[in-house]
Amino acid sequence: MDRILIRGGHRLAGRLPISGAKNAALTLMPAALLTDEPLTLRNLPRLADVDGFGHLLNQLGASTAVEGTRPDEFGRVMTIRAGRLTSTEAPYDIVRKMRASILVLGPLIGRGGEARVSLPGGCAIGNRPIDLHLKALEAIGAELEMAAGYVRATAPTINGQGGRLSGGRYRFPVVSVGATENVLMAAVTARGGSCIENAAREPEIVDLCRCLIAMGAKIDGIGTDTIEVEGTDRLHGATYSVMPDRIEAGSYACAAAITGGELELTGVSVDDMGATLSALEEAGVRVEPTREGVRVTADGPLRPLTLSTAPYPGFATDMQAQFMAMLTLAQGASVLTETIFENRYMHVPELARMGADITVSGRTAVVRGVAGLTGAPVMATDLRASMSLILAGLAATGETSVARVYHLDRGYERLEEKLSGVGADIERVSDG
Ligand code: EPZ
């Protein structure tokens, strides 16, 4: 199994390219199921989860052709053709490894009026039920059956005509990114219109809406909490470029801050990173938009923060762990509150092994800044937790060894290459 070794204490400096967004790619890929014509996705990140999703699409009968890109290039171009589906089932064996597989549910109903998808089960960061996905799909006309760990969804036959949802209205009791994406992808081919209230407003949802419109869908209220969809008989193929990854960019911005460095993050749009960049500025980091992205410069000692995670445009839960690592070196005590997931502090004991001073009670963590961290062997537990350990390792004296880096490979494209390109002493070793 691979580990990542970091010899810390190096100030990072230079330009770092940002890849396409994992959480956009994982909802754009299933959108291809909505048409029998090809959907070409550009700027698709090379990540384990993207490979996993490609495998799931193949399982359903879609082909996925990757155009060759130069090895030094980041990202790639994939053309997905779901000409004829040979299956409408997402099996347990795939879904248990990648919960985002649930995002085939909406498009499969939208395409052929039926789907059978394994329930994802629990996750390291929380229970993560899918009840809202199901309630929203029911509200726009789906009939659901739960059996043997699977949900079977069908679009009822009306006046002898089958296979299409009626459309309808649904108000989410809490904001859910995945459930918004699923109901959106089902609603675009419904007979009638749909209205989705208290919808998630994440930039990845805006990206999905834009891609669906490029495929012929009719959607209003993009980026707002009320999305109106007018059902369309048929969608067509398109070519679409995946948005840049605002979470990857935020993670590397924390790398600049924690190492006292200066990084220009290229290919990212600052508009998508509002809460992250203003929190960095509040911590005393200089943030300057550039022609190609944003420059982040550590400008003196880090100041402590009080932060609560929230749905977009609030402070992202996917940035919580990285900020925690950064704030272990702030001058004073910070207070972080995780409001989205009930178990997203598994990085705390690992950071403590490196000398961090953090107390957790319930959803709140108090991070008292220390003078320095010391390298140690640590264990990754989930995607963003693993990035917080990498950040701590970059700042620590001595060597840090991060185990279980397969978590990292799910969401960070060629991390060691990007970081060593700006001065980090980092390498991946394999323990066979
Ligand atoms: C997406 O997960 C992201 N994943 C997550 O990123 C991200 O943390 C999350 O949104 C919140 O921003 C992808 O896009 C693939 P939710 P998702 O549905 O859609 C509860 C990363 O690190 N809920 O918005 O699963 C749920 O338990 C990952 O890249 C229900 O109760 O998140 C949570 O507490 C981790 N019932 C809250 O809502 C439901 O049916 C928000 O979850 C659905 C969700």
Side-chain angles (χ1 to χ4, degrees):
M1 217 190 290
D2 288 5
R3 282 179 299 132
I4 287 185
L5 297 181
I6 310 157
R7 285 161 284 272
H10 301 279
R11 177 180 180 277
L12 301 187
R15 289 156 54 86
L16 193 152
I18 298 302
S19 298
K22 168 184 82 83
N23 290 347
L26 296 182
T27 188
L28 295 174
M29 292 175 77
L33 297 168
L34 285 164
T35 175
D36 55 5
E37 294 180 17
L39 175 66
T40 298
L41 295 176
R42 299 186 165 287
N43 198 34
L44 200 67
R46 296 175 200 226
L47 298 170
D49 275 10
V50 169
D51 296 341
F53 221 107
H55 177 53
L56 172 57
L57 293 175
N58 297 151
Q59 173 101 16
L60 298 169
S63 65
T64 48
V66 174
E67 280 169 36
T69 40
R70 288 200 323 274
D72 61 329
E73 271 181 322
F74 293 102
R76 59 189 160 180
V77 177
M78 179 188 283
T79 296
I80 306 167
R81 276 187 182 78
R84 200 178 62 78
L85 298 183
T86 52
S87 164
T88 54
E89 178 169 314
Y92 174 66
D93 210 36
I94 295 182
V95 178
R96 74 182 170 80
K97 292 187 206 123
M98 184 183 61
R99 26 175 339 98
S101 315
I102 192 72
L103 294 175
V104 299
L105 184 58
L108 284 174
I109 307 172
R111 169 71 180 272
E114 64 166 288
R116 186 166 183 268
V117 175
S118 167
L119 299 174
C123 164
I125 62 177
N127 270 341
R128 303 182 77 177
I130 59 156
D131 56 325
L132 300 177
H133 295 241
L134 305 181
K135 288 198 183 104
L137 289 169
E138 265 178 336
I140 65 166
E143 285 181 354
L144 305 174
E145 233 179 278
M146 311 290 258
Y150 281 74
V151 55
R152 186 160 180 278
T154 49
T157 304
I158 301 174
N159 308 332
Q161 288 199 319
R164 281 184 78 185
L165 296 172
S166 55
R169 173 180 291 273
Y170 184 71
R171 179 174 183 78
F172 282 106
V174 290
V175 170
S176 161
V177 172
T180 301
E181 292 165 343
N182 244 333
V183 72
L184 253 176
M185 290 190 278
V188 287
T189 56
R191 278 177 222 286
S194 299
C195 178
I196 306 163
E197 293 172 304
N198 199 24
R201 299 166 55 195
E202 270 64 8
E204 294 75 21
I205 302 228
V206 172
D207 215 31
L208 172 63
C209 289
R210 289 189 179 136
C211 179
L212 291 170
I213 287 175
M215 296 166 71
K218 298 193 177 77
I219 307 174
D220 274 326
I222 298 173
T224 75
D225 62 4
T226 304
I227 303 178
E228 306 263 0
V229 182
E230 193 190 318
T232 312
D233 291 355
R234 191 177 164 279
L235 294 191
H236 52 72
T239 296
Y240 191 79
S241 191
V242 180
M243 65 172 278
D245 197 319
R246 61 192 174 101
I247 306 296
E248 184 199 22
S251 305
Y252 289 125
C254 289
I258 204 170
T259 61
E262 176 174 337
L263 289 178
E264 183 182 7
L265 307 172
T266 60
V268 71
S269 102
V270 288
D271 299 342
D272 296 335
M273 298 179 67
T276 296
L277 296 179
S278 37
L280 282 169
E281 285 182 315
E282 220 186 305
V285 178
R286 190 154 22 101
V287 173
E288 299 153 292
T290 65
R291 215 164 35 77
E292 292 183 73
V294 63
R295 181 173 294 108
V296 177
T297 311
D299 214 2
L302 289 167
R303 292 196 289 265
L305 296 176
T306 297
L307 285 173
S308 276
T309 62
Y312 190 88
F315 180 74
T317 172
D318 294 349
M319 284 305 305
Q320 178 257 100
Q322 300 92 312
F323 266 73
M324 183 180 278
M326 182 184 87
L327 293 168
T328 61
L329 297 175
Q331 296 206 327
S334 301
V335 180
L336 299 180
T337 306
E338 176 53 62
T339 69
I340 308 287
F341 292 108
E342 61 275 21
N343 188 29
R344 206 167 200 181
Y345 285 136
M346 295 212 285
H347 38 287
V348 169
E350 300 302 311
L351 290 171
R353 293 172 49 72
M354 301 177 72
D357 178 355
I358 307 168
T359 327
V360 174
S361 90
R363 298 256 182 154
T364 300
V366 176
V367 185
R368 289 176 201 79
V370 295
L373 298 173
T374 316
V378 289
M379 181 95 72
T381 48
D382 63 77
L383 170 58
R384 308 303 171 183
S386 46
M387 190 57 187
S388 80
L389 303 179
I390 297 283
L391 294 173
L394 291 169
T397 50
E399 183 174 274
T400 296
S401 154
V402 182
R404 296 191 182 172
V405 290
Y406 54 82
H407 287 292
L408 214 59
D409 295 336
R410 304 185 61 175
Y412 293 92
E413 183 175 0
R414 290 151 62 183
L415 172 129
E416 310 93 272
E417 221 175 298
K418 290 191 182 186
L419 283 172
S420 45
V422 291
D425 181 352
I426 184 168
E427 62 174 322
R428 179 180 294 242
V429 293
S430 175
D431 296 337

